[in-house]
Structure formats: structure tokens, C-alpha cells
Amino acid sequence: MGIFGPTLSSEALANAGVVAAAVLAVLLVALSTYGRRRCCHPSIRFVVLGASTIYLTLMSSIITSLRTKSSKPNCDGSDPLTGSKNSDVQNMWTLLLWILLILTIKGNADTAAAAVGAAAALPASGDVSVDGQRIRTPVEHLIQYGWVAWLVWLCLPLAGAKWLKPSNVSIFVAFCTLGLAKTLLKLAVSWRASGSFALGKNARLIAGYMAQLVADDGDDGQEPVPRYIVMGEREKHVEASPEGYRVKRDVLEDKFSALVTLDRVWRLAAHGDGVLARRRGLRDLCLSYSLFKILRRRLSGYPLADAGSGEALDFVLRGMDSVGAAVDADRVFRVLVDELWFASDFYYSPIPLCTFSGWCAAINCLCSVLIIAGAVAVGWIYQVEKVVSTTPYTVVTFSLILAVVVVETWEIVAGVSSNWTKMTLLGHYIRHEPAWRRSGCVHAALAAVLRLTPARRWRDKMGQNSVLEPRRFRRRAGLLTLLSEQFYGRAGLMRSVEVSEDVKDAVLRALLSSYGRPSKGGAAARRVGGKLDWALHGSQKSWAWDGGDDGSSNTELILTWHVATRLFEMKSTSPSPDMIAAAHLSYYCAYLVAAAPELLPDCAAWTERRYKEVSEDVRAALAGKDGGGGGSTAARYERLVKALSAESRDTVLRRGAELGRHLVEEYAEDEASACRILADFWAEMVLYVAPSENVKGHVEAMGRGGEFVTLVWALLLHAGITTRPDMGGAIP
């Protein structure tokens, strides 16, 4: 009898190991293949940490118990059975394989979880490793592999020369060393990356280099194509100065230097270079990569020497090819999406591909191939030699082997198809001699890799929410919705739509018109003020902007115009591009108020409280009828205007109803102009709220798949706009 009851038998302990292995395997495979962003939830990190902590201890105890039992003489004094005749020996070797397979899977999951913890601590500064983070394979893996090696050494005498032949044992031991070799490789790569100017010290180098460019441009004038660094940063290219790192001038003047700049990429394309000339997307990818490095300064907390300079944006808006070219909104946003793909993958990918380059990436891929081959070989040995004694054990064993194959295959595919690999190949391609670039074999191999699509890190979508119709964009209740809410908060409860071309066009049009500073002289303000003078200047109707004596908040302004836009949309006769843009942006801003208030100008806690008050008043006004109840659209519009205009209703609802009614009445014969007014207003609103000091909020948004406002935030950063204009607490 034990202290707490009967002592558990070895069979009961082994069964406990089966359950523990199965549960942990599911968690680790999911975390390793589905991405770091799922690791960011505290409960999941706690479960994985707890399971990982107890798993090795539990399994070691079981194996030690089985080994002791299988070594004892039988009751009649005869030697114990060996090999497949002794179930304890079989179970011991089965559980030993489970430990090894779990540890192989755990390597990826632990790297992912460690990176999420580091990303959650942003912004950071300094060059301790990568942006102040220590994104590297945990050193405790080495200790765990050492412990596994000790267990293997204990079990080897019981293998039996006639059962597990020496050749089979050698394959098993070799399989053990592959996981250790891959762990050592990741440690070596992360150590190397932490001191590299191409990665670990890159943000600091780019900060100094941009200051250098600002000083040079002041002397020499602006370059047609910015001399932004794309790749190839090495220690020999850099010199230290009292102001920080600088790139040596002779390196910049050398057209065949290993340091690749953006103007060099454009020159190669202009001179008819094969791949770069034929595939414009590759030039755009180089631009995205260079802009990502510029963005990392902001994410890492370094000063922006080029703040107020719109050189990057000017180049992008010129069409990226020639002065006077029309602005291609889709191409501009595609460059931004790829830029934030690099940022999102840098912080949230389960595989730290950014740290691998050249031969290290090839060796890592080779290790994955050998691990897959080793897992299959060990599984075949266990099947042929009948090492696994029972059907449940067989199911768990081969499920774990399959999990290892899936995880390692995913790592190979993700590595080969990633944008990091494409940039590495393009770097070698650009730096090679012209003869290499004209090689047909090189072109064919490069083209094959460049056609591969990388794993999707950035979802190009906009969340949608309607204050007047709260159920319109809500996901249906269910387990998936519950899990989505746990992972993403309120954002997980709301549906999303693709970012349309109409939205992109409206935002760029507003940017070109007002450059992100909405005012009474801005595009939307001029149009509203031209016909709806009461909305801006009327002494009795000025609430639409200034909110009376105490000033209207940005949150209230968003909700007021959101109500007005929805009411006008009900009376709209055709879904014009401007109406589509206005509606999508209006629903998106309402979504930000409800699900991501930390990205808006007002205090997040106050925004949440104000949204709750308005939402509750909407439900009271509509008496539980979503969107004003049934009937025709015209009837619903009239009921809504009447219900929301009552004196007892919230000020936001009354103002929104009156603004919506005036838009409908004043523009009854000119609906297109009203649609343009609303599209311009919402585009300028997004441009106004996007600049933010809340870098951490945008990084966390990347973990949710990205937000459209983060795209605009990056766009304005390259326009030299890093803070919102000082409007005295509200938009004038």
C-alpha cells in the first residue's frame, strides 16, 4: 500500500504514459505547424509548459520501473525473458521511442513559444541578440537530449542480440543524434545571427544608414531610386562613428559590391537583366524587404532620422518605375503586404527562417530529410521486430511518427517556398558575375523556386462591425467561435471581408489629397462644407465635429459618422465604388472601436466603455430588433431615424441619425457626390487614426493575422508621418 492508496502497477504507469504522450503530441504538432500566433494565448503556453515539464519525468520514471522489473529473475529463479517474449522490455523500448519523437516535435514548438514571449515584450531596443530578443532554441533541449542518451544507454543491454540486432540499434542511435544535431545547428545559427549586421544588429545599422542617407541627400539632392539597403550587410562594410553605424562610402560607390541596394536592383532591371526585367514582382519583393528593414527600426525603438521625409512614399507613389507613372493602388498595397509579411514572419513564424542563410539553410533542410527517413526506418524496425506489444501502443507510436514526418515536411516546404529563401537566392543572383546571371540552368532553378507561394502570414482582410445591426457580422455560435474568441478576443467574433480595390483607391486618393492630416481644408471637409455647411460651421449644428462645450472624442466621431453612413447606405440605390469603400471603412472603424481600441487615439478603456453604452442604447431604441426589424428598406430607414432621434437616446445616436437624414435629403438628386463625401471622410479618418506610438499594439495585431490599419500605419511611416497631428484632443 502506498501513502495515498495501492501502489500503481507498471502497466498502469505505462497506460498513463500513453495518455500523456497522445495529448502532448496533439498540442505540439498544432503549435509547430500552425504558427506562433496560437502560442500567444497564456493558457496554451501554460498547458504546453506544464505538459512538457512533467512528460520527461513521467516517462523516465516509467522506463526505469520497467527496466528494473524486466531485469529481476522469475519466481522459479530462472533468468527473465528477453526481447519480444518480455512485454516489459517491449514497453520500455516503445516509451523510449515516444520520448525521442516528442522531443523532436517539441523542438519546433518550444522555439515558437519562446519567440512569442519575446515578441509580446516589444518594443525593445539594443542588440542583445535580435531586436533585443533572444529568439533561439532553448538550451534546455541539450539537457533533455543528454537525459535521453542516458536512458538509451540504460536500455541497450536489454535489447538482445537476437531481437534488436546491432544494425537496428545503430539506426535507432543514429536517429537520436539527428535531433541533437539539428538542435545544435539552431543554437549555432541563432548565435551567429545575434552578432550579424544582416540580422541581429541590422536595426541599429539601418538607423545609422538612414541618418547617413538624409545627410547625403541634403548635399547631393534626392536620388531617383532610394539607395535603401536590400541585403548583403557584412561587418567589413560597416564603420562605427559617434553617431552610430555607417556604411563605408567606397562600398556604396562600388557597383559590384556584395552590399545590394535598391537602386542597383532597378538598374539591373532597366538594363534588361533576365529575371528582374521579366518579373516585376521580384523588384517589388526587394522593395518590400528593404522597407521591412526600415520598419524594424520603428519596431525596435530606434530613432527615425528620416521622420518627416517622404522619399520612400514618393518613390512608391510614382509607380516605382518612372516619374509621372499612374499610381497602382493594388501594387502599392501588395508591396506593403509583403513588407508586413516579413515583419509578421520575423516575429511569429514557428520556424525561424530569417536566421538561416546559405549553407545553414541547406544543412537544416538536410537534417529534416534525414529525420524523416530515420523516423520511417525506426517505425519499420519496430513493426518488423514486433517491438510494440499492444494495439493502443501501435496507434500512438505510428501517430507520433506521422507527426514527426508532418512537422519536418512542413519545415522543408516552408523553408523552400518562403520569401526569405527567395531573397537569399536573389542576393546570390545579383552578386554573381554576368555570366552566372545568363546561365540557363540558374534561371530555370531560380524561376522554379520563385514560383512557389510562401505560407500566408498576413491576411489581407478587414474586420467588420455594425452598431445598428450587431448580429450582421457576428459569427455563428459554436466551438470554433468560442476558440476564436479565446485566441483573438472580440475580433474573433466578427466576420471579415477582403480589402477591396475600392478601399485601396479611396485611401490612396485621400493620402495624395491631404497627406494624412484631415482638417477643415481637407478633401472630405471641403466637400461636406460646400453643401452641408451646418455640419462644420453652423452655430447650432456644429456638434458633428466639436461635440459642444467639452469637445467630441474621436470614438464618438467615428460612431456618429458610422450611424450616418449606415443610414445613407440604406437609401443608396446602387453599390458604387465610393459607396462600397465608405461602407467597408465605416464598418471597419466600428470594428476597431469594438475589438481593437488600443489602435485608436482615445484611451482604450474609455473607448470600450463608450462603445458599450452606445450599443446598449441601440438595443433599447430598437427594442431587440436587429437593424430596425423587418419590412422594406425604406420602412426600416424611417423606423431607425425615428427611434434614434428620440430625445432620450444617446447623443451619438441622435447626431448620427440627424447627419444621416441630412445627407439623404440634401443629396437626393446627387447620390454620387454623397458617396464620394463619405468615402473621402472614412479614408481620411483611417489616415488620421493610423499613426500611433503604440508599436506593441501593431506587433500584437500581426499575431492575429494583421490589421488594415497597420498597413496604413506602415504606409504613413514611409511618408515620414509617425504621430497623429495635434488637433487639441479632437479632429476639428
Side-chain angles (χ1 to χ4, degrees):
M1 295 288 290
I3 297 176
F4 301 102
T7 303
L8 292 176
S9 64
S10 60
E11 183 178 357
L13 288 173
N15 289 334
V18 172
V19 176
V23 173
L24 188 59
V26 171
L27 288 173
L28 294 176
V29 171
L31 293 174
S32 297
T33 58
Y34 201 38
R36 289 182 192 169
R37 66 186 64 160
R38 302 304 186 272
C39 300
C40 62
H41 198 276
S43 61
I44 291 184
R45 291 211 304 269
F46 177 78
V47 170
V48 173
L49 177 62
S52 300
T53 301
I54 67 174
Y55 182 76
L56 188 58
T57 304
L58 173 64
M59 298 299 275
S60 300
S61 176
I62 295 172
I63 290 175
T64 303
S65 175
L66 292 174
R67 179 183 180 279
T68 302
K69 183 181 177 182
S70 62
S71 302
K72 291 181 179 179
N74 296 323
C75 296
D76 57 2
S78 60
D79 292 334
L81 299 176
T82 60
S84 59
K85 298 178 182 179
N86 190 328
S87 61
D88 289 331
V89 175
Q90 289 178 297
N91 292 338
M92 180 181 65
W93 278 93
T94 300
L95 297 181
L96 189 62
L97 177 60
W98 290 2
I99 293 179
L100 186 60
L101 295 173
I102 285 289
L103 193 57
T104 302
I105 301 170
K106 187 172 177 286
N108 287 333
D110 281 2
T111 301
V116 165
L122 286 178
S125 62
D127 297 312
V128 177
S129 56
V130 180
D131 282 357
Q133 307 178 54
R134 292 189 179 274
I135 302 180
R136 59 183 64 185
T137 304
V139 179
E140 57 264 24
H141 282 185
L142 296 179
I143 300 175
Q144 292 170 348
Y145 271 109
W147 186 261
V148 171
W150 179 75
L151 292 176
V152 171
W153 180 80
L154 286 180
C155 297
L156 281 178
L158 300 178
K162 295 182 179 179
W163 179 46
L164 290 179
K165 302 177 181 63
S167 59
N168 293 336
V169 173
S170 299
I171 293 176
F172 185 89
V173 173
F175 180 57
C176 294
T177 60
L178 288 174
L180 176 61
K182 192 171 183 180
T183 299
L184 291 173
L185 175 64
K186 288 183 177 181
L187 283 171
V189 167
S190 61
W191 174 80
R192 178 186 177 190
S194 65
S196 167
F197 281 99
L199 190 66
K201 299 180 179 180
N202 190 259
R204 185 179 174 190
L205 170 62
I206 296 298
Y209 177 69
M210 293 302 292
Q212 181 180 353
L213 281 186
V214 170
D216 290 347
D217 289 342
D219 298 333
D220 305 332
Q222 195 177 73
E223 297 285 342
V225 179
R227 292 181 296 161
Y228 297 154
I229 292 177
V230 179
M231 66 193 85
E233 305 93 321
R234 298 178 183 175
E235 186 175 2
K236 64 181 181 180
H237 301 151
V238 180
E239 60 183 3
S241 72
E243 295 79 20
Y245 290 131
R246 295 291 188 269
V247 177
K248 297 177 180 178
R249 188 162 299 277
D250 61 315
V251 174
L252 294 175
E253 295 174 352
D254 184 2
K255 295 183 179 180
F256 300 99
S257 169
L259 182 69
V260 178
T261 54
L262 195 62
D263 58 325
R264 180 176 173 184
V265 174
W266 252 251
R267 282 200 308 270
L268 288 173
H271 293 162
D273 178 79
V275 173
L276 292 173
R278 290 196 304 267
R279 303 189 59 172
R280 186 177 67 175
L282 296 182
R283 284 174 282 161
D284 292 350
L285 189 63
C286 291
L287 174 59
S288 298
Y289 193 46
S290 64
L291 293 179
F292 154 68
K293 294 187 174 185
I294 294 174
L295 179 67
R296 269 189 62 194
R297 293 176 306 157
R298 180 70 163 158
L299 300 179
S300 303
Y302 285 100
L304 306 180
D306 55 330
S309 170
E311 182 181 18
L313 182 68
D314 291 340
F315 174 63
V316 170
L317 296 183
R318 282 203 306 267
M320 296 176 283
D321 281 320
S322 60
V323 177
V327 177
D328 185 344
D330 182 65
R331 188 181 179 193
V332 169
F333 278 94
R334 188 168 60 248
V335 167
L336 293 172
V337 166
D338 285 339
E339 173 191 352
L340 291 175
W341 182 98
F342 282 113
S344 180
D345 196 77
F346 180 80
Y347 292 112
Y348 289 101
S349 170
I351 306 167
L353 296 172
C354 57
T355 60
F356 289 99
S357 62
W359 286 107
C360 293
I363 295 174
N364 185 67
C365 185
L366 177 61
C367 285
S368 294
V369 172
L370 292 177
I371 288 175
I372 293 173
V376 173
V378 171
W380 180 80
I381 292 172
Y382 270 54
Q383 181 66 24
V384 171
E385 301 297 342
K386 299 180 180 179
V387 177
V388 187
S389 60
T390 63
T391 300
Y393 286 18
T394 301
V395 172
V396 174
T397 300
F398 285 96
S399 296
L400 289 175
I401 290 175
L402 179 61
V404 169
V405 172
V406 169
V407 169
E408 296 300 330
T409 302
W410 173 267
E411 183 162 349
I412 293 172
V413 173
V416 173
S417 62
S418 76
N419 283 340
W420 303 104
T421 300
K422 293 177 183 179
M423 291 308 304
T424 299
L425 292 176
L426 281 174
H428 287 293
Y429 179 80
I430 293 172
R431 288 190 294 264
H432 283 157
E433 294 295 324
W436 283 58
R437 295 200 298 270
R438 289 194 296 266
S439 171
C441 295
V442 172
H443 273 246
L446 187 60
V449 173
L450 295 177
R451 278 195 297 267
L452 299 176
T453 303
R456 190 173 184 179
R457 298 286 172 216
W458 187 271
R459 61 184 188 99
D460 195 18
K461 292 186 176 183
M462 304 168 63
Q464 302 283 274
N465 179 39
S466 176
V467 174
L468 300 183
E469 301 158 301
R471 290 195 294 269
R472 180 179 178 185
F473 296 108
R474 288 296 179 98
R475 299 181 186 272
R476 292 183 178 180
L479 178 60
L480 292 179
T481 302
L482 180 61
L483 292 175
S484 184
E485 182 182 12
Q486 290 298 317
F487 286 131
Y488 300 126
R490 286 184 181 176
L493 299 176
M494 301 174 189
R495 292 193 178 97
S496 301
V497 297
E498 296 288 339
V499 180
S500 67
E501 298 301 318
D502 301 322
V503 168
K504 297 174 184 177
D505 288 337
V507 171
L508 280 186
R509 183 176 64 242
L511 178 62
L512 292 172
S513 174
S514 62
Y515 221 56
R517 293 178 174 86
S519 65
K520 291 182 180 179
R526 285 197 302 272
R527 289 185 173 87
V528 174
K531 198 163 186 179
L532 293 180
D533 191 66
W534 56 269
L536 284 173
H537 308 298
S539 60
Q540 296 179 347
K541 296 291 186 181
S542 62
W543 46 261
W545 287 95
D546 60 33
D549 296 334
D550 56 350
S552 178
S553 69
N554 295 284
T555 300
E556 291 171 323
L557 184 64
I558 289 174
L559 294 177
T560 296
W561 279 78
H562 169 74
V563 171
T565 302
R566 177 56 187 144
L567 292 175
F568 182 84
E569 185 186 11
M570 286 182 174
K571 298 291 287 184
S572 178
T573 57
S574 62
S576 65
D578 283 332
M579 190 68 251
I580 292 173
H584 284 189
L585 289 171
S586 171
Y587 294 136
Y588 179 65
C589 287
Y591 157 85
L592 290 177
V593 171
E598 68 277 2
L599 300 179
L600 295 176
D602 295 331
C603 170
W606 187 91
T607 299
E608 290 179 1
R609 181 176 63 83
R610 195 70 182 94
Y611 174 75
K612 183 179 180 180
E613 292 173 351
V614 173
S615 299
E616 290 176 350
D617 201 49
V618 167
R619 286 193 292 270
L622 303 183
K625 296 180 180 179
D626 192 18
S632 65
T633 302
R636 291 174 60 206
Y637 167 80
E638 294 297 338
R639 283 197 298 270
L640 276 171
V641 171
K642 182 178 179 180
L644 300 179
S645 299
E647 288 296 327
S648 59
R649 299 277 69 88
D650 191 287
T651 307
V652 166
L653 300 181
R654 287 189 283 110
R655 293 173 176 175
E658 188 167 355
L659 177 58
R661 178 171 55 82
H662 276 273
L663 285 169
V664 170
E665 293 175 356
E666 292 291 328
Y667 288 90
E669 304 298 327
D670 190 11
E671 184 179 306
S673 294
C675 292
R676 176 55 65 93
I677 289 172
L678 291 172
D680 285 348
F681 170 82
W682 285 113
E684 288 197 7
M685 175 59 73
V686 171
L687 291 173
Y688 173 74
V689 303
S692 171
E693 297 291 342
N694 186 10
V695 176
K696 182 178 179 180
H698 286 289
V699 173
E700 290 175 346
M702 295 178 193
R704 301 193 298 266
E707 292 286 357
F708 178 70
V709 72
T710 302
L711 279 177
V712 182
W713 175 69
L715 177 65
L716 294 179
L717 175 69
H718 300 311
I721 301 171
T722 58
T723 58
R724 298 183 182 99
D726 184 11
M727 298 297 187
I731 300 176

